[in-house]
Amino acid sequence: MKENLTNIIDEIIKGMLKDAGVNEEVTFSLVIPEKEEHGDFACNAAMQLVKHLKKNPKIIAEDIINKLNEKLKLDCTIAGPGFINIKIDVSWYAETVMNIINNEKYFHNNIGGGKKAMVEFVSANPTGPLHIGHGRGAAYGDSVARLLEMSGYDVLREYYVNDAGNQMNNLALSVYARAAEILGKGSEVPFPEAGYHGDYIIDIAKELLTTHANILEIDRKEALEICLGKAVQTIQADIDNDLKEFRVTFHNYFSEKSLYKNKLVESTLKELEKSGKVFEQDGALWLKTTDMGDDKDRVLRKSTGEYTYFTPDIAYHQNKYDRGFEYLIDILGADHHGYIKRMQCALECLNHKTESFKATLIQMVNLIQNGEKISMSTRSGEFIPLSWLINEVGVDAARFFYNMRSHDAQFDFDIDLAKSKSNDNPVYYIQYAHARVNSLIENANEKGIDYKQGQGLEKAIGSEEIKLIKNMVKLKYVIELSAQYLEPHKVSYHLQELAASFHSYYYNNKILNNEDVDTTCGRLTICEAVAVTIKQGLDILGVSAPKRM
RNA sequence: GCCUCUGUAGCUCAGUUGGAUAGAGCGACGGAUUCCUAAUCCGCAGGUCACAGGUUCAAUUCCUGUCAGGGGCACCA
């Protein structure tokens, strides 16, 4: 319906511009207004035309309405500075309700047009368990992927495993040193300065000693290799476990090592050189990113001959393009801030369109308990693990809370609120609305009401029902916007609104009524549509929709 | 110093990417349960949209500057 109207108005406008001899594109919006008295749809086209037609917007609006009425019988009024408010017939609402229930893809859209998109997220180094910062990235990334899937993108979720480089040496050394400590020879093997201090390293060392008690006696290089293997295997398994519990899945894990194995770093470097932006200075190899707006040039290969982390990362992104992806999304921690610009520069050098690469920064998470911040720091080993949070508040609350706020704002996660099983907690508020519908239907059966879906629907639709249905329809557009701007928190906000209007409707209207089966069926059908809508929305957020609470 | 995010009700935050009288939750205050789940609902109070300019039919939204807070800055990853 909205698409239909948009197209028709678009044609009318084009005609008007043509008549006036103006050769320009004019965009306008057609929205479902917040306020009931503003009609079912509102259009700002008249105001957009003011500049080009040089007429009073109200006169233009009248003109548009006349032309609109030639094609469709609609109830249009002019309001405010020149808005056109349009009222729709009840039958459209009835159709919509049935559509929501029966058409699984009602809330889908096709802004992706089948494009191959990759969402790369979490990508935590296998040097320690996931912490609450990763949790936010995981919840966000997973929901973004789901949004894109609903929006006609062909989505692949990928986890980039940094299993090469210096941090791996540190990890191996950390385990080695802890093993030595356990064996009482800690003084012979000092703990590395940049080592990992968390207790999990000690656990890994203990576990290692059960199979390799002689670790200190074998060749050091070989021993470190064993330590590393054990550590990565254990930690990655832990990470996978946490993610699984958090309902986050990946299609692919991409190993940094494989880049070297397949000589992708070298070949990418060669490609980069073709751009003419690569130069040598002080024995190191640089990329002239300042030519493209970066504030300093970046090193590709250190004077020691080693690559910086930057170069394999470029190769990795090149590889994404090579695999046929047309839309790359990186979800990164806020500390990667400087990284985005230089990656954009590098990809520009490789002749990729800037709009094909989007990097989103996830801002920090503070945990609040008893009104106070719990601090976290990876370096000191005092981070708060994601698994702890999940245990504490549950997956539903954790995932919902993470996506309750915009990703680019720092977020205070109130543990007490997330845990509370009360009306303060927005997760339960929404889930409760879903459960209520289910109990209504069960009660109808018990009361012996012969519920036929769709029966009496038009009869049941009054102004309160219309408000509810509008809120359902709106989710479709919220999803489209959320996908476009990668902002799943819009969905969580809208679900709260929808739940609120349902609770209010429920309280103010007796839905089950043996005396009037028609209206009862109609209302139940609408309620069912509400449940479907809420479930679709919760799915995006990775939150369950219980039938009973 | 440079980059970046943020500044909206007492608190935590939305605000459909420039639209109509700026919204919600919590908190405060006052109400609703012989009736489908009170994990609910209804009412009321609460605002210089940090500040100053600019762009235009229209600015909380875009631009410039100022102030305040968070995060970042490497031949680290």
Side-chain angles (χ1 to χ4, degrees):
Chain A
M1 185 71 202
K2 184 180 167 180
E3 288 74 9
N4 240 333
L5 265 176
T6 307
N7 288 336
I8 293 168
I9 295 172
D10 197 41
E11 265 176 48
I12 292 172
I13 287 178
K14 278 184 182 144
M16 288 169 75
L17 285 169
K18 207 175 162 192
D19 292 345
V22 179
N23 192 15
E24 268 179 84
E25 287 273 309
V26 172
T27 56
F28 63 93
S29 67
L30 185 70
V31 297
I32 301 175
E34 291 307 321
K35 301 208 163 111
E36 216 175 304
E37 62 266 30
H38 293 154
D40 299 328
F41 289 104
C43 179
N44 68 348
M47 277 110 82
Q48 301 294 335
L49 288 170
V50 169
K51 208 187 297 174
H52 301 96
L53 300 182
K54 304 204 165 64
K55 276 195 248 179
N56 186 315
K58 290 193 179 189
I59 295 172
I60 299 173
E62 211 170 82
D63 216 15
I64 294 176
I65 291 173
N66 285 336
K67 290 188 169 140
L68 201 53
N69 275 332
E70 285 169 20
K71 308 197 180 193
L72 289 169
K73 273 259 170 290
L74 292 168
D75 179 7
C76 301
T77 48
I78 301 171
F83 287 99
I84 300 171
N85 295 336
I86 303 168
K87 269 211 147 70
I88 301 286
D89 195 69
V90 178
S91 63
W92 178 75
Y93 286 107
E95 251 173 64
T96 302
V97 168
M98 295 315 290
N99 229 324
I100 288 173
I101 295 174
N102 296 319
N103 179 359
E104 270 177 39
K105 300 205 164 173
Y106 178 81
F107 291 102
H108 290 228
N109 67 80
N110 194 27
I111 57 173
K115 247 193 202 175
K116 276 186 82 172
M118 179 192 289
V119 182
E120 184 216 322
F121 63 118
V122 184
S123 296
N125 298 346
T127 53
L130 295 180
H131 56 63
I132 53 166
H134 296 127
R136 191 178 191 187
Y140 173 80
D142 185 55
S143 292
V144 163
R146 291 179 199 222
L147 279 168
L148 294 180
E149 279 159 1
M150 290 180 87
S151 301
Y153 286 95
D154 179 9
V155 181
L156 187 109
R157 304 135 181 258
E158 189 157 284
Y159 185 124
Y160 182 52
V161 186
N162 286 109
D163 51 6
N166 226 344
Q167 56 201 339
M168 288 297 110
N169 299 332
N170 281 325
L171 179 62
L173 281 169
S174 302
V175 174
Y176 191 71
R178 290 297 191 207
E181 270 172 36
I182 293 165
L183 294 170
K185 295 183 179 170
S187 54
E188 293 169 30
V189 187
F191 197 79
E193 202 164 308
Y196 295 93
H197 294 264
D199 288 345
Y200 61 94
I201 297 290
I202 298 173
D203 294 338
I204 292 169
K206 275 184 197 158
E207 178 72 26
L208 179 77
L209 287 172
T210 61
T211 52
H212 293 80
N214 62 341
I215 191 82
L216 294 182
E217 281 124 56
I218 54 181
D219 175 59
R220 189 178 158 96
K221 199 175 167 193
E222 195 182 321
L224 284 175
E225 201 69 23
I226 293 168
C227 289
L228 182 62
K230 184 75 191 173
V232 169
Q233 187 202 345
T234 311
I235 294 171
Q236 193 69 49
D238 260 8
I239 290 176
D240 289 349
N241 211 34
D242 286 351
L243 288 172
K244 197 173 159 196
E245 199 178 334
F246 207 44
R247 303 178 192 138
V248 172
T249 53
F250 288 91
H251 298 111
N252 193 32
Y253 287 76
F254 191 95
S255 148
E256 183 184 357
K257 265 190 199 161
S258 74
L259 286 172
Y260 293 102
K261 210 188 288 171
N262 298 326
K263 309 267 182 223
L264 291 178
V265 182
E266 285 79 1
S267 62
T268 304
L269 200 52
K270 265 188 197 141
E271 280 303 308
L272 266 180
E273 278 166 357
K274 285 184 192 164
S275 70
K277 302 283 186 198
V278 179
F279 66 98
E280 256 188 87
Q281 190 182 311
D282 307 329
L285 202 63
W286 298 68
L287 186 64
K288 195 145 186 59
T289 50
T290 49
D291 276 3
M292 285 151 287
D294 201 2
D295 47 0
K296 52 188 83 162
D297 293 329
R298 305 293 168 177
V299 174
L300 293 166
R301 196 175 55 212
K302 301 184 231 177
S303 52
T304 58
E306 288 175 303
Y307 293 113
T308 61
Y309 73 97
F310 184 37
T311 314
D313 269 7
I314 300 171
Y316 172 46
H317 283 81
Q318 176 57 44
N319 173 266
K320 292 183 185 179
Y321 285 108
D322 290 343
R323 280 186 276 159
F325 292 99
E326 303 157 88
Y327 184 23
L328 310 186
I329 296 167
D330 285 12
I331 291 157
L332 307 166
D335 53 334
H336 285 68
H337 157 350
Y339 169 95
I340 297 176
K341 187 75 209 170
R342 74 192 69 157
M343 184 55 71
Q344 282 170 345
C345 295
L347 296 179
E348 207 180 314
C349 289
L350 293 167
N351 297 319
H352 297 298
K353 287 185 194 143
T354 43
E355 64 268 22
S356 66
F357 170 69
K358 261 193 206 168
T360 304
L361 292 179
I362 302 294
Q363 292 295 330
M364 258 181 58
V365 180
N366 294 309
L367 283 189
I368 308 289
Q369 196 165 30
N370 304 321
E372 287 191 26
K373 263 184 202 177
I374 311 176
S375 67
M376 76 165 251
S377 146
T378 322
R379 294 287 141 102
S380 63
E382 287 168 16
F383 56 82
I384 300 160
L386 177 61
S387 51
W388 178 86
L389 182 71
I390 296 176
N391 254 326
E392 199 73 3
V393 308
V395 177
D396 282 344
R399 290 211 48 170
F400 188 88
F401 271 63
Y402 272 133
N403 275 319
M404 210 162 59
R405 299 278 176 259
S406 168
H407 64 83
D408 55 13
Q410 285 158 53
F411 171 46
D412 290 336
F413 193 122
D414 186 334
I415 295 182
D416 303 316
L417 177 60
K419 269 163 88 168
S420 78
K421 298 204 167 183
S422 74
N423 45 353
D424 309 353
N425 192 331
V427 189
Y428 293 108
Y429 185 81
I430 296 166
Q431 289 181 322
Y432 185 42
H434 182 267
R436 257 188 166 166
V437 173
N438 190 61
S439 97
L440 275 171
I441 290 168
E442 280 179 5
N443 279 324
N445 279 332
E446 268 171 41
K447 281 191 169 187
I449 294 170
D450 181 21
Y451 171 43
K452 290 204 181 83
Q453 201 182 67
Q455 183 184 322
L457 192 49
E458 286 199 25
K459 185 181 168 194
I461 295 175
S463 70
E464 289 196 66
E465 285 79 9
I466 286 179
K467 202 176 147 200
L468 247 184
I469 298 168
K470 272 188 193 170
N471 260 323
M472 295 188 237
V473 173
K474 207 171 155 194
L475 181 67
K476 187 176 164 68
Y477 302 107
V478 169
I479 287 172
E480 198 175 312
L481 270 173
S482 303
Q484 197 176 343
Y485 295 104
L486 310 179
E487 292 180 341
H489 74 277
K490 287 182 193 302
V491 174
S492 76
Y493 264 90
H494 185 65
L495 286 180
Q496 289 181 71
E497 226 176 283
L498 176 60
S501 66
F502 175 71
H503 284 310
S504 171
Y505 177 71
Y506 173 90
Y507 202 87
N508 293 316
N509 296 281
K510 179 112 173 99
I511 291 162
L512 302 180
N513 179 2
N514 288 62
E515 322 258 293
D516 185 351
V517 178
D518 265 0
T519 306
T520 299
C521 286
R523 286 182 167 172
L524 273 175
T525 308
I526 293 167
C527 292
E528 260 201 282
V530 171
V532 169
T533 308
I534 288 178
K535 187 173 185 329
Q536 288 264 348
L538 288 177
D539 271 350
I540 293 168
L541 302 173
V543 177
S544 67
K547 293 201 158 178
R548 200 177 301 230
M549 291 175 74

